[in-house]
Amino acid sequence: MDMAVEAGVIKQHLIDPEICIRCNTCEAICPVNAITHDDNNYVVRADICNGCMACISPCPTGSIDNWRTMPLVRAYTIEEQLTWEELPAELTPEQLEAAGVSAEAAGDPAAAAPALTQAQAQAAIEPAFNSAQYGATVPPWSAAHAYTNLFPPKTPTTATVVGNFNCTEAGFDSETHHIVLDFGVVPFPVLEGQSIGIVPPGVDAIGKRHHARQYSVASPRNGERPGYNNVSLTVKRVTEDHEGDPVRGVCSNYVCDLKVGDTVHVVGPFGASFLMPNHPKSHIVMICTGTGSAPMRAMTEWRRRLRKSGKFEGGKLMLFFGARTQQELPYFGPLQSLPKDFIDINLAFSRTPGQPKRYVQDLMRERAADLAALLKDGSSHFYVCGLKSMEEGVVLALRDVAKDVGLDWDTVGAALKREGRLHLETY
Ligand SMILES: Cc1cc2nc3c(=O)[nH]c(=O)nc-3n(C[C@H](O)[C@H](O)[C@H](O)COP(=O)(O)OP(=O)(O)OC[C@H]3O[C@@H](n4cnc5c(N)ncnc54)[C@H](O)[C@@H]3O)c2cc1C
Ligand code: SF4
Ligand code: SF4
């Protein structure tokens, strides 16, 4: 037997295309850039993945936790994986044997060493600031228990639309809708910070049924209407792609055009770490842009209901909220009516005519003294949600605020991650 082939066995890391909802979480979090995608599938490069497991718990569907024992020379290529509609089965012992891999070698984890060495070498020379490395994959210690994947992508449930209105100012290019979905008697418990998937009807350009798109829940745990089995979403109509070219987003337009009484297919709930703390003295700092406000609305509303019923004491709420203009900021009106002693609101607009551009990180630097005090307090929790492009600037601003008051960022950043106190959800 050829020992060189026998040694070359890997546990190949694969993504299940049937349940992946293409949310990009894994690609954003992988420290060695082993994950890539096209319009069809998310895939893992066998020669780069080092099996570090950083992507496993943040994946909302579990589709990323698939491994196949493969002879290194026959590892599935990126090109092959991009065409898959379902995962291939494990090779049988006979197939492995035929490829020169004995049963002992197939079961030997050390055999994955060739892929490991290359990836580790790449990681070691990676100098760039990686904001994602500070994002927690565990919830705050006082978070309530979250149910996940009650309805996986293969078996969606149905909800009825009971509300749909534009929650930005009418007549502007950017339009964001507040949608309320009712689950009737179907158990669909969600917590603030979780998301759900909506499956748009129809098929894509290559005739495959559309995959689900993920939307953060904008309502608190006891419903958009308290005591009802309903959730709300904040959905922006996508009319241009990230490059600014005109495109009609499949799911966002479907959702924004739904009428009261329509039914939709829903998967989820997703998310077990971007959850709010529940201990009374916990402080919540919310940093968001656009529809990233959805989980912040949910957390704020839950705290508001608790306070109204006299069940909340102490913890601060601080919000940094960015949009291009005031007219494009979802929930601008309702936000204004929240009491000043309940929430500290900071708004940044980047495209107000005649005004200098301001981003959320600019506001954070202006409020450095207050943020530094919160960074020193172990009861503070930081949530970042919205455009992918905001993430690095926000984490860098937090780092600089810490450094400017003599805090060691490596210590603070590591504690925020370990204690589930810095959560990043950007898309
Ligand atoms: C964890 C998570 C939470 C999310 N929460 C929300 C939410 O609360 N509200 C919300 O509206 N969206 C949210 N999204 C984004 C949402 O899942 C969809 O990606 C978005 O609605 C676009 O889907 P689409 O089918 O309309 O566009 P697609 O048909 O999938 O895409 C059309 C084109 O537009 C580009 N594109 C996709 N999204 C955007 C965008 N936002 N801006 C510019 N171009 C885009 C695509 O790259 C593509 O070129 C979330 C995503 C994730 C991963
Ligand atoms: S296991 Fe680690 S290296 Fe592999 S894809 Fe996941 S995050 Fe990347
Ligand atoms: S569902 Fe999981 S595997 Fe699919 S893109 Fe999201 S994180 Fe990656």
Side-chain angles (χ1 to χ4, degrees), residues 21-25 39 60 176 195-196 200 210-217 233-245 247-254 291-295 385 387 425-427:
I21 56 168
R22 283 76 174 166
C23 68
N24 202 54
T25 306
D39 285 345
T176 300
S195 55
I196 68 171
H210 288 301
H211 61 82
R213 273 35 169 210
Q214 211 174 344
Y215 295 100
S216 302
V217 171
L233 308 175
T234 311
V235 178
K236 181 178 176 194
R237 193 187 279 285
V238 170
T239 54
E240 52 184 46
D241 64 16
H242 293 290
E243 283 72 48
D245 297 321
V247 67
R248 193 176 156 80
V250 171
C251 194
S252 58
N253 284 279
Y254 161 68
T291 55
S293 55
C385 188
L387 294 175
E425 188 157 275
T426 56
Y427 44 87

Side-chain angles (χ1 to χ4, degrees), residues 292-312:
S293 55
M296 315 312 186
R297 179 184 183 271
M299 291 194 266
T300 303
E301 182 58 13
W302 180 237
R303 278 268 169 109
R304 196 187 67 81
R305 289 183 193 176
L306 286 179
R307 185 167 114 138
K308 206 171 153 200
S309 63
K311 290 190 188 130
F312 200 80

Side-chain angles (χ1 to χ4, degrees), residues 136 374-375 377-382 415-417 419-423:
L374 288 163
L375 275 172
D377 186 329
S379 287
S380 302
H381 297 256
F382 297 81
L416 289 173
K417 181 183 174 73
E419 296 164 13
R421 295 196 292 116
L422 172 58
H423 294 274

Side-chain angles (χ1 to χ4, degrees), residues 13 15 26-27 30 33-37 42-45 55 64:
H13 187 186
I15 294 173
C26 52
E27 189 173 332
C30 176
N33 298 324
I35 297 178
T36 184
H37 72 275
Y42 272 72
V43 295
V44 185
R45 294 178 199 278
C55 59
I64 201 156

Side-chain angles (χ1 to χ4, degrees), residues 34-278:
I35 297 178
T36 184
H37 72 275
D38 67 1
D39 285 345
N40 196 35
N41 282 343
Y42 272 72
V43 295
V44 185
R45 294 178 199 278
D47 58 335
I48 297 182
C49 173
N50 60 16
C52 72
M53 301 290 177
C55 59
I56 304 299
S57 61
C59 168
T61 60
S63 49
I64 201 156
D65 198 4
N66 287 284
W67 308 83
R68 294 283 185 275
T69 302
M70 294 296 292
L72 187 55
V73 290
R74 277 189 48 193
Y76 298 113
T77 63
I78 291 296
E79 292 70 29
E80 264 177 290
Q81 296 178 54
L82 288 171
T83 65
W84 285 350
E85 298 205 359
E86 59 185 60
L87 276 183
E90 271 283 11
L91 294 186
T92 62
E94 294 71 32
Q95 287 170 317
L96 284 167
E97 190 88 46
V101 180
S102 70
E104 302 80 63
D108 178 5
L116 194 73
T117 315
Q118 185 179 338
Q120 282 178 331
Q122 180 165 333
I125 55 166
E126 183 65 63
F129 181 78
N130 175 10
S131 51
Q133 85 180 80
Y134 300 103
T137 53
V138 292
W141 65 265
S142 63
H145 169 77
Y147 290 91
T148 56
N149 269 317
L150 293 175
F151 296 93
K154 280 183 184 169
T155 50
T157 186
T158 300
T160 305
V161 179
V162 293
N164 182 353
F165 64 85
N166 183 357
C167 61
T168 42
E169 202 170 312
F172 286 81
D173 285 350
S174 169
E175 186 182 316
T176 300
H177 280 236
H178 181 77
I179 322 279
V180 188
L181 299 178
D182 193 281
F183 289 90
V185 293
V186 174
F188 202 94
V190 289
L191 290 172
E192 307 78 14
Q194 285 195 285
S195 55
I196 68 171
I198 302 273
V199 190
V203 292
D204 62 17
I206 56 165
K208 269 174 55 182
R209 76 182 157 81
H210 288 301
H211 61 82
R213 273 35 169 210
Q214 211 174 344
Y215 295 100
S216 302
V217 171
S219 48
R221 62 192 73 185
N222 63 344
E224 172 68 16
R225 184 172 177 194
Y228 282 74
N229 191 13
N230 57 26
V231 302
S232 63
L233 308 175
T234 311
V235 178
K236 181 178 176 194
R237 193 187 279 285
V238 170
T239 54
E240 52 184 46
D241 64 16
H242 293 290
E243 283 72 48
D245 297 321
V247 67
R248 193 176 156 80
V250 171
C251 194
S252 58
N253 284 279
Y254 161 68
V255 173
C256 288
D257 291 336
L258 284 167
K259 305 269 176 299
V260 169
D262 286 348
T263 54
V264 286
H265 288 127
V266 178
V267 297
F270 299 125
S273 62
F274 195 109
L275 301 175
M276 67 184 290
N278 289 307

